[in-house]
Coordinates of all heavy atoms in Angstrom, one line a residue:
T1 N 0.8 -1.2 0.0 CA 0.0 0.0 0.0 C 0.9 1.3 0.0 O 2.0 1.2 0.4 CB -0.9 0.0 1.2 OG1 -1.8 1.1 1.1 CG2 -0.2 0.1 2.5
Y2 N 0.3 2.3 -0.5 CA 0.9 3.6 -0.3 C 0.4 4.2 1.0 O -0.6 3.9 1.5 CB 0.5 4.5 -1.5 CG 1.4 4.2 -2.7 CD1 1.3 3.1 -3.5 CD2 2.4 5.1 -3.1 CE1 2.1 2.8 -4.5 CE2 3.2 4.9 -4.2 CZ 3.0 3.7 -4.9 OH 3.9 3.5 -6.0
I3 N 1.2 5.1 1.5 CA 0.8 5.8 2.8 C 1.0 7.3 2.7 O 1.8 7.8 1.8 CB 1.6 5.2 4.0 CG1 3.1 5.5 3.9 CG2 1.4 3.7 4.1 CD1 3.5 6.6 4.8
I4 N 0.3 8.0 3.5 CA 0.5 9.5 3.6 C 1.2 9.8 4.9 O 0.9 9.4 5.9 CB -0.8 10.2 3.4 CG1 -1.5 9.8 2.1 CG2 -0.6 11.7 3.6 CD1 -2.8 10.5 1.9
A5 N 2.3 10.7 4.7 CA 3.1 11.0 5.9 C 3.0 12.5 6.3 O 2.1 13.2 5.9 CB 4.6 10.7 5.5
Q6 N 3.8 12.9 7.2 CA 3.8 14.2 8.0 C 3.6 15.4 7.1 O 2.9 16.3 7.6 CB 5.1 14.3 8.8 CG 5.0 15.4 9.9 CD 5.3 16.8 9.3 OE1 6.0 16.9 8.3 NE2 4.8 17.8 9.9
P7 N 4.1 15.5 5.9 CA 3.9 16.8 5.2 C 2.5 17.1 4.9 O 2.1 18.3 4.6 CB 4.7 16.6 3.9 CG 5.7 15.6 4.2 CD 5.1 14.6 5.2
C8 N 1.6 16.2 5.0 CA 0.1 16.4 4.7 C -0.5 17.0 5.9 O -1.6 17.7 5.8 CB -0.6 15.1 4.4 SG -2.3 15.3 3.9
V9 N 0.1 16.9 7.1 CA -0.6 17.4 8.3 C -0.9 18.9 8.2 O 0.0 19.7 7.9 CB 0.2 17.1 9.6 CG1 -0.4 17.7 10.8 CG2 0.4 15.6 9.7
D10 N -2.1 19.3 8.5 CA -2.6 20.7 8.4 C -2.4 21.3 7.0 O -2.5 22.6 6.9 CB -1.8 21.5 9.4 CG -2.2 21.2 10.9 OD1 -3.3 20.7 11.1 OD2 -1.3 21.3 11.7
L11 N -2.3 20.5 6.0 CA -2.2 21.0 4.6 C -3.4 20.5 3.8 O -4.2 21.3 3.3 CB -0.9 20.6 3.9 CG -0.8 21.1 2.5 CD1 -0.7 22.6 2.5 CD2 0.4 20.4 1.8
K12 N -3.5 19.1 3.7 CA -4.6 18.5 3.0 C -4.8 19.2 1.6 O -5.9 19.7 1.3 CB -5.9 18.6 3.8 CG -5.7 17.8 5.1 CD -7.0 17.5 5.7 CE -7.7 18.7 6.3 NZ -9.0 18.3 7.1
D13 N -3.8 19.2 0.8 CA -3.9 19.7 -0.6 C -5.1 19.1 -1.4 O -5.7 19.7 -2.2 CB -2.6 19.6 -1.3 CG -2.7 20.1 -2.7 OD1 -2.5 21.3 -2.9 OD2 -2.9 19.2 -3.6
R14 N -5.2 17.8 -1.2 CA -6.2 17.0 -1.9 C -6.0 16.7 -3.4 O -6.9 16.1 -4.0 CB -7.6 17.6 -1.7 CG -8.1 17.8 -0.3 CD -9.5 18.3 -0.2 NE -10.4 17.5 -0.9 CZ -11.0 16.4 -0.3 NH1 -10.7 16.2 1.0 NH2 -11.8 15.6 -1.0
A15 N -4.9 17.1 -4.0 CA -4.6 16.8 -5.3 C -4.7 15.2 -5.5 O -5.1 14.7 -6.6 CB -3.2 17.3 -5.8
C16 N -4.2 14.5 -4.6 CA -4.2 13.0 -4.6 C -5.6 12.4 -4.7 O -5.8 11.4 -5.4 CB -3.5 12.4 -3.4 SG -4.2 12.9 -1.8
V17 N -6.5 13.0 -4.1 CA -7.9 12.5 -4.0 C -8.4 12.4 -5.4 O -9.1 11.5 -5.8 CB -8.8 13.3 -3.1 CG1 -10.2 12.9 -3.2 CG2 -8.2 13.3 -1.7
D18 N -8.2 13.5 -6.2 CA -8.7 13.5 -7.6 C -8.0 12.5 -8.5 O -8.6 12.1 -9.5 CB -8.4 14.9 -8.2 CG -9.3 16.0 -7.5 OD1 -10.3 15.6 -6.9 OD2 -8.8 17.1 -7.5
E19 N -6.8 12.0 -8.2 CA -6.1 11.1 -9.0 C -6.4 9.6 -8.7 O -6.3 8.7 -9.5 CB -4.6 11.2 -8.8 CG -4.0 12.5 -9.3 CD -4.2 12.7 -10.8 OE1 -4.0 11.7 -11.5 OE2 -4.6 13.8 -11.3
C20 N -6.8 9.3 -7.5 CA -7.0 7.9 -7.1 C -8.2 7.3 -7.8 O -9.3 7.7 -7.6 CB -7.2 7.9 -5.5 SG -7.4 6.1 -4.9
P21 N -7.9 6.2 -8.5 CA -8.9 5.5 -9.3 C -9.9 4.7 -8.5 O -11.0 4.3 -9.0 CB -8.1 4.6 -10.2 CG -6.9 4.3 -9.5 CD -6.6 5.5 -8.7
V22 N -9.6 4.4 -7.2 CA -10.5 3.6 -6.4 C -11.0 4.4 -5.2 O -11.6 3.8 -4.3 CB -9.8 2.3 -6.0 CG1 -9.5 1.4 -7.2 CG2 -8.5 2.6 -5.2
D23 N -10.8 5.7 -5.2 CA -11.2 6.6 -4.1 C -11.0 6.0 -2.7 O -11.9 6.0 -1.9 CB -12.8 6.8 -4.3 CG -13.1 7.6 -5.6 OD1 -12.3 8.4 -6.0 OD2 -14.2 7.4 -6.1
C24 N -9.7 5.7 -2.5 CA -9.4 5.1 -1.2 C -8.6 6.1 -0.3 O -7.9 5.7 0.7 CB -8.6 3.8 -1.4 SG -6.9 4.1 -2.0
I25 N -8.6 7.4 -0.7 CA -8.0 8.4 0.1 C -9.1 9.2 0.8 O -10.0 9.8 0.3 CB -7.1 9.4 -0.7 CG1 -6.1 8.5 -1.5 CG2 -6.4 10.4 0.1 CD1 -5.2 9.3 -2.5
Y26 N -9.0 9.2 2.2 CA -10.0 9.7 3.0 C -9.5 10.9 3.8 O -8.3 10.9 4.2 CB -10.6 8.7 4.0 CG -11.2 7.5 3.2 CD1 -10.4 6.5 2.7 CD2 -12.6 7.5 3.0 CE1 -11.0 5.4 2.0 CE2 -13.2 6.4 2.4 CZ -12.4 5.4 1.8 OH -13.0 4.4 1.1
E27 N -10.4 11.8 4.2 CA -10.0 13.0 4.9 C -10.3 12.9 6.4 O -11.4 12.6 6.8 CB -10.7 14.2 4.3 CG -10.3 15.5 5.0 CD -10.8 16.7 4.2 OE1 -11.3 16.6 3.1 OE2 -10.6 17.9 4.8
G28 N -9.2 13.2 7.2 CA -9.3 13.3 8.6 C -9.3 14.7 9.1 O -9.3 15.6 8.3
D29 N -9.2 14.9 10.4 CA -9.2 16.3 10.9 C -8.0 17.1 10.4 O -8.1 18.2 10.0 CB -9.2 16.3 12.4 CG -10.6 16.0 13.0 OD1 -11.6 16.0 12.2 OD2 -10.7 15.7 14.2
R30 N -6.8 16.4 10.4 CA -5.6 17.2 10.1 C -4.8 16.7 8.9 O -3.9 17.4 8.5 CB -4.7 17.1 11.4 CG -5.2 17.8 12.6 CD -4.2 17.9 13.7 NE -3.0 18.7 13.3 CZ -1.9 18.7 14.0 NH1 -1.8 17.9 15.1 NH2 -0.9 19.4 13.6
M31 N -5.2 15.5 8.4 CA -4.5 15.0 7.2 C -5.4 14.1 6.4 O -6.5 13.8 6.9 CB -3.1 14.4 7.6 CG -3.3 13.1 8.5 SD -1.7 12.3 8.9 CE -1.5 11.4 7.3
L32 N -4.8 13.7 5.3 CA -5.5 12.6 4.5 C -4.9 11.3 4.8 O -3.7 11.2 5.2 CB -5.4 13.0 3.0 CG -5.9 14.3 2.6 CD1 -5.5 14.7 1.2 CD2 -7.4 14.5 2.8
Y33 N -5.7 10.2 4.6 CA -5.2 8.9 4.9 C -5.6 8.0 3.7 O -6.6 8.1 3.1 CB -5.9 8.4 6.1 CG -5.7 9.2 7.4 CD1 -6.5 10.2 7.7 CD2 -4.6 8.9 8.2 CE1 -6.4 11.0 8.9 CE2 -4.4 9.6 9.4 CZ -5.3 10.7 9.7 OH -5.1 11.4 10.8
I34 N -4.7 7.0 3.5 CA -5.0 6.0 2.4 C -5.4 4.7 3.1 O -4.8 4.2 4.1 CB -3.7 5.7 1.6 CG1 -3.4 6.9 0.8 CG2 -3.9 4.5 0.7 CD1 -2.0 6.9 0.0
Q35 N -6.5 4.1 2.6 CA -7.1 2.9 3.2 C -6.3 1.7 2.6 O -6.4 1.5 1.4 CB -8.6 2.8 2.8 CG -9.5 2.1 3.8 CD -9.3 0.6 4.0 OE1 -8.3 0.1 3.5 NE2 -10.2 0.0 4.7
P36 N -5.5 1.1 3.4 CA -4.5 0.1 2.8 C -5.2 -1.1 2.2 O -4.6 -1.7 1.3 CB -3.7 -0.3 4.1 CG -4.5 0.0 5.2 CD -5.3 1.2 4.8
D37 N -6.4 -1.5 2.6 CA -7.0 -2.6 2.0 C -7.7 -2.3 0.6 O -8.0 -3.2 -0.1 CB -8.1 -3.2 2.9 CG -7.5 -3.9 4.1 OD1 -6.3 -4.2 4.1 OD2 -8.3 -4.0 5.1
E38 N -7.9 -1.0 0.4 CA -8.5 -0.6 -0.9 C -7.5 -0.1 -1.9 O -7.8 -0.1 -3.1 CB -9.5 0.6 -0.6 CG -10.6 0.1 0.4 CD -11.6 1.3 0.7 OE1 -11.4 2.4 0.3 OE2 -12.5 1.0 1.6
C39 N -6.3 0.4 -1.4 CA -5.3 0.9 -2.3 C -4.8 -0.2 -3.2 O -4.5 -1.3 -2.8 CB -4.1 1.4 -1.5 SG -2.7 2.0 -2.5
V40 N -4.7 0.1 -4.5 CA -4.3 -0.9 -5.5 C -2.9 -0.7 -6.0 O -2.4 -1.3 -7.0 CB -5.3 -1.0 -6.7 CG1 -6.6 -1.5 -6.3 CG2 -5.4 0.4 -7.4
D41 N -2.1 0.1 -5.2 CA -0.7 0.4 -5.5 C -0.4 0.9 -6.9 O 0.6 0.6 -7.5 CB 0.1 -0.9 -5.3 CG 0.2 -1.3 -3.8 OD1 -0.2 -0.5 -3.0 OD2 0.7 -2.4 -3.6
C42 N -1.3 1.7 -7.4 CA -1.2 2.2 -8.8 C -0.1 3.3 -8.8 O 0.5 3.5 -9.9 CB -2.5 2.7 -9.4 SG -3.0 4.2 -8.6
G43 N 0.1 4.0 -7.7 CA 1.1 5.0 -7.7 C 0.7 6.4 -8.3 O 1.5 7.3 -8.3
A44 N -0.6 6.5 -8.7 CA -1.0 7.7 -9.3 C -1.0 8.9 -8.4 O -0.8 10.1 -8.9 CB -2.4 7.5 -9.9
C45 N -1.2 8.7 -7.1 CA -1.3 9.8 -6.2 C 0.1 10.4 -5.9 O 0.2 11.6 -5.6 CB -1.9 9.3 -4.9 SG -1.1 7.9 -4.1
E46 N 1.1 9.6 -5.9 CA 2.4 10.0 -5.4 C 3.0 11.3 -6.1 O 3.4 12.2 -5.4 CB 3.4 8.8 -5.5 CG 4.8 9.2 -4.9 CD 5.8 8.0 -5.1 OE1 5.4 7.0 -5.7 OE2 6.9 8.1 -4.5
P47 N 3.1 11.3 -7.4 CA 3.7 12.4 -8.1 C 2.9 13.7 -8.0 O 3.4 14.8 -8.2 CB 3.9 12.0 -9.5 CG 2.8 10.9 -9.8 CD 2.7 10.2 -8.4
V48 N 1.6 13.7 -7.7 CA 0.8 14.9 -7.8 C 0.8 15.6 -6.4 O 0.3 16.7 -6.3 CB -0.7 14.6 -8.2 CG1 -0.7 14.0 -9.6 CG2 -1.4 13.7 -7.2
C49 N 1.3 15.0 -5.4 CA 1.3 15.6 -4.1 C 2.4 16.7 -4.1 O 3.6 16.5 -4.4 CB 1.7 14.6 -3.0 SG 1.8 15.4 -1.3
P50 N 1.9 18.0 -3.8 CA 2.9 19.1 -3.9 C 3.9 19.1 -2.9 O 5.0 19.9 -3.0 CB 2.0 20.3 -3.9 CG 0.8 19.8 -3.1 CD 0.6 18.4 -3.5
V51 N 3.8 18.3 -1.8 CA 4.7 18.4 -0.7 C 5.4 17.0 -0.5 O 6.0 16.8 0.6 CB 4.1 18.9 0.6 CG1 3.7 20.3 0.5 CG2 2.8 18.0 1.0
E52 N 5.2 16.1 -1.4 CA 5.8 14.8 -1.4 C 5.5 14.1 0.0 O 6.4 13.6 0.7 CB 7.3 14.8 -1.6 CG 7.7 15.3 -3.0 CD 9.2 15.3 -3.3 OE1 9.9 14.5 -2.8 OE2 9.6 16.2 -4.1
A53 N 4.2 14.0 0.2 CA 3.8 13.3 1.5 C 3.5 11.9 1.3 O 3.3 11.1 2.2 CB 2.6 14.1 2.1
I54 N 3.4 11.4 0.0 CA 3.0 10.1 -0.3 C 4.1 9.2 -0.6 O 5.0 9.5 -1.5 CB 1.9 10.1 -1.4 CG1 0.7 11.0 -1.0 CG2 1.4 8.7 -1.7 CD1 -0.4 11.2 -2.0
Y55 N 4.1 8.0 -0.1 CA 5.2 7.0 -0.4 C 4.7 5.6 -0.4 O 3.7 5.3 0.3 CB 6.2 7.0 0.8 CG 6.9 8.4 0.9 CD1 6.4 9.4 1.7 CD2 8.1 8.6 0.2 CE1 7.0 10.6 1.8 CE2 8.7 9.9 0.3 CZ 8.2 10.9 1.1 OH 8.7 12.1 1.2
Y56 N 5.3 4.8 -1.3 CA 5.0 3.3 -1.2 C 5.5 2.9 0.2 O 6.6 3.4 0.7 CB 5.7 2.6 -2.3 CG 5.4 1.1 -2.2 CD1 4.2 0.6 -2.4 CD2 6.4 0.2 -1.9 CE1 3.9 -0.7 -2.4 CE2 6.2 -1.2 -1.8 CZ 4.8 -1.6 -2.1 OH 4.6 -3.0 -2.0
E57 N 4.8 2.0 0.9 CA 5.1 1.7 2.2 C 6.6 1.4 2.5 O 7.2 1.9 3.5 CB 4.3 0.6 2.8 CG 4.4 -0.7 2.0 CD 3.4 -1.8 2.5 OE1 3.5 -2.1 3.7 OE2 2.6 -2.3 1.7
D58 N 7.3 0.6 1.6 CA 8.6 0.3 1.9 C 9.6 1.4 1.5 O 10.8 1.3 1.8 CB 9.0 -1.0 1.0 CG 8.3 -2.2 1.5 OD1 7.8 -2.2 2.7 OD2 8.2 -3.2 0.8
D59 N 9.2 2.5 0.9 CA 10.0 3.5 0.5 C 9.8 4.8 1.4 O 10.4 5.8 1.1 CB 9.7 3.9 -1.0 CG 10.0 2.8 -1.9 OD1 10.8 2.0 -1.6 OD2 9.4 2.8 -3.0
T60 N 9.1 4.6 2.4 CA 8.9 5.8 3.3 C 10.2 6.1 4.0 O 10.8 5.2 4.6 CB 7.8 5.4 4.4 OG1 6.6 4.9 3.7 CG2 7.4 6.6 5.2
P61 N 10.5 7.4 4.1 CA 11.7 7.8 4.8 C 11.6 7.3 6.3 O 10.6 7.4 6.9 CB 11.7 9.3 4.7 CG 11.0 9.6 3.4 CD 9.9 8.5 3.4
D62 N 12.8 7.0 6.8 CA 12.8 6.4 8.2 C 12.1 7.4 9.2 O 11.4 6.9 10.1 CB 14.2 6.2 8.6 CG 14.8 4.9 7.9 OD1 14.0 4.2 7.3 OD2 16.0 4.8 8.0
K63 N 12.3 8.7 9.0 CA 11.7 9.7 10.0 C 10.3 9.6 10.0 O 9.6 10.1 11.0 CB 12.3 11.0 9.7 CG 11.9 11.6 8.3 CD 12.5 12.9 8.0 CE 12.2 13.4 6.5 NZ 12.9 14.7 6.2
W64 N 9.6 9.1 8.9 CA 8.2 9.0 8.9 C 7.6 7.6 8.9 O 6.5 7.3 8.5 CB 7.6 9.7 7.7 CG 7.9 11.2 7.7 CD1 8.0 12.0 8.8 CD2 8.2 12.1 6.6 NE1 8.3 13.3 8.5 CE2 8.5 13.4 7.1 CE3 8.3 11.8 5.2 CZ2 8.8 14.5 6.3 CZ3 8.7 12.9 4.4 CH2 8.9 14.2 4.9
A65 N 8.5 6.7 9.4 CA 8.1 5.3 9.3 C 6.8 5.0 10.1 O 6.0 4.1 9.8 CB 9.3 4.4 9.9
D66 N 6.6 5.8 11.2 CA 5.4 5.6 12.0 C 4.1 5.9 11.2 O 3.0 5.5 11.7 CB 5.5 6.6 13.2 CG 6.5 6.2 14.2 OD1 7.1 5.0 14.1 OD2 6.7 6.9 15.2
Y67 N 4.2 6.5 10.1 CA 3.0 6.9 9.4 C 2.3 5.7 8.7 O 1.1 5.8 8.4 CB 3.2 8.1 8.4 CG 3.2 9.4 9.2 CD1 4.3 9.8 9.8 CD2 2.0 10.1 9.2 CE1 4.3 11.1 10.6 CE2 2.0 11.3 9.9 CZ 3.1 11.8 10.6 OH 3.0 12.9 11.3
Y68 N 3.0 4.6 8.6 CA 2.3 3.4 8.1 C 1.2 3.1 9.1 O 0.0 2.9 8.8 CB 3.2 2.2 7.9 CG 2.5 1.0 7.6 CD1 2.1 0.7 6.3 CD2 2.2 0.1 8.6 CE1 1.4 -0.5 6.0 CE2 1.5 -1.1 8.3 CZ 1.1 -1.3 7.0 OH 0.3 -2.5 6.7
K69 N 1.6 3.1 10.3 CA 0.7 2.8 11.5 C -0.4 3.8 11.6 O -1.6 3.5 11.8 CB 1.5 2.7 12.8 CG 0.8 1.8 13.8 CD 1.8 1.6 15.0 CE 1.0 1.3 16.3 NZ 1.9 1.4 17.4
V70 N 0.0 5.1 11.4 CA -1.0 6.2 11.4 C -2.1 6.0 10.4 O -3.3 6.2 10.7 CB -0.3 7.5 11.2 CG1 -1.3 8.6 11.0 CG2 0.6 7.8 12.4
N71 N -1.7 5.6 9.2 CA -2.7 5.4 8.2 C -3.6 4.2 8.5 O -4.9 4.3 8.4 CB -2.1 5.2 6.8 CG -1.6 6.5 6.2 OD1 -2.2 7.0 5.2 ND2 -0.6 7.1 6.8
V72 N -3.0 3.1 8.9 CA -3.8 1.9 9.2 C -4.7 2.1 10.4 O -5.9 1.7 10.4 CB -2.8 0.7 9.4 CG1 -3.5 -0.5 10.0 CG2 -2.1 0.3 8.2
E73 N -4.2 2.7 11.4 CA -5.0 2.9 12.6 C -6.2 3.9 12.4 O -7.2 3.8 13.1 CB -4.1 3.5 13.8 CG -3.2 2.4 14.4 CD -2.4 3.0 15.5 OE1 -2.2 4.2 15.6 OE2 -2.0 2.1 16.3
F74 N -6.1 4.8 11.4 CA -7.2 5.7 11.2 C -8.4 4.8 10.7 O -9.6 5.3 11.0 CB -6.8 6.6 10.0 CG -7.9 7.6 9.7 CD1 -8.3 8.7 10.5 CD2 -8.7 7.4 8.5 CE1 -9.3 9.5 10.2 CE2 -9.7 8.3 8.2 CZ -10.0 9.4 9.0
F75 N -8.2 3.7 10.1 CA -9.3 2.9 9.7 C -9.6 1.8 10.7 O -10.4 0.8 10.3 CB -9.0 2.3 8.3 CG -8.8 3.4 7.2 CD1 -7.5 3.8 6.9 CD2 -9.9 4.1 6.7 CE1 -7.3 4.9 6.0 CE2 -9.7 5.1 5.8 CZ -8.4 5.5 5.4
N76 N -9.0 1.8 11.8 CA -9.2 0.8 12.9 C -8.9 -0.6 12.3 O -9.6 -1.5 12.6 CB -10.6 0.8 13.4 CG -10.9 2.1 14.2 OD1 -10.1 2.5 15.0 ND2 -12.0 2.7 14.0
L77 N -7.8 -0.7 11.6 CA -7.5 -2.0 11.0 C -6.4 -2.7 11.9 O -6.0 -3.8 11.5 CB -6.9 -1.8 9.6 CG -8.0 -1.2 8.6 CD1 -7.3 -1.0 7.3 CD2 -9.1 -2.3 8.4
L78 N -6.0 -2.2 13.0 CA -5.0 -2.9 13.8 C -5.7 -3.4 15.1 O -6.7 -2.9 15.5 CB -3.9 -1.9 14.3 CG -2.9 -1.6 13.2 CD1 -1.8 -0.7 13.9 CD2 -2.2 -2.8 12.7
Ligands
LIG101 FE1 -5.1 5.4 -4.8 FE2 -3.3 4.4 -6.4 FE3 -2.6 6.2 -4.5 FE4 -3.3 3.7 -3.8 S1 -1.5 4.3 -5.0 S2 -4.0 5.6 -2.9 S3 -4.9 3.3 -5.4 S4 -3.9 6.6 -6.3

């Protein structure tokens, strides 16, 4: 799955939402989240994010590694 990391917090540009073919990017209070069970790993969202907040899970920078859990927990999947 792809995940959304810290640069999205308090920004929520939403460019990714328009690109996602399966509408699996959801809006929370402070950031957007990707539903991991719905994401089809197409990668369409990643390049359109103006702040590079989106990463394939294994490519997430170490400083934002916790954001995998942040995305999953938003959907109560843990
Ligand atoms: Fe949606 Fe594709 Fe991004 Fe997954 S990788 S969130 S399916 S646009």
Side-chain angles (χ1 to χ4, degrees):
T1 186
Y2 278 71
I3 65 106
I4 299 179
Q6 194 278 332
C8 185
V9 175
D10 294 331
L11 179 69
K12 298 198 289 188
D13 176 83
R14 300 184 60 86
C16 57
V17 175
D18 294 334
E19 293 299 317
C20 182
V22 294
D23 294 330
C24 69
I25 303 176
Y26 296 83
E27 185 166 351
D29 282 346
R30 296 187 62 194
M31 61 177 280
L32 303 171
Y33 301 89
I34 293 174
Q35 214 289 10
D37 290 342
E38 297 175 3
C39 175
V40 295
D41 291 349
C42 72
C45 54
E46 183 181 9
V48 300
C49 177
V51 293
E52 296 185 31
I54 304 177
Y55 297 90
Y56 181 66
E57 57 183 306
D58 291 341
D59 298 334
T60 306
D62 289 345
K63 61 184 172 182
W64 295 325
D66 288 352
Y67 277 83
Y68 173 81
K69 206 172 156 191
V70 167
N71 282 248
V72 171
E73 285 182 339
F74 179 74
F75 301 100
N76 290 316
L77 295 175
L78 284 184

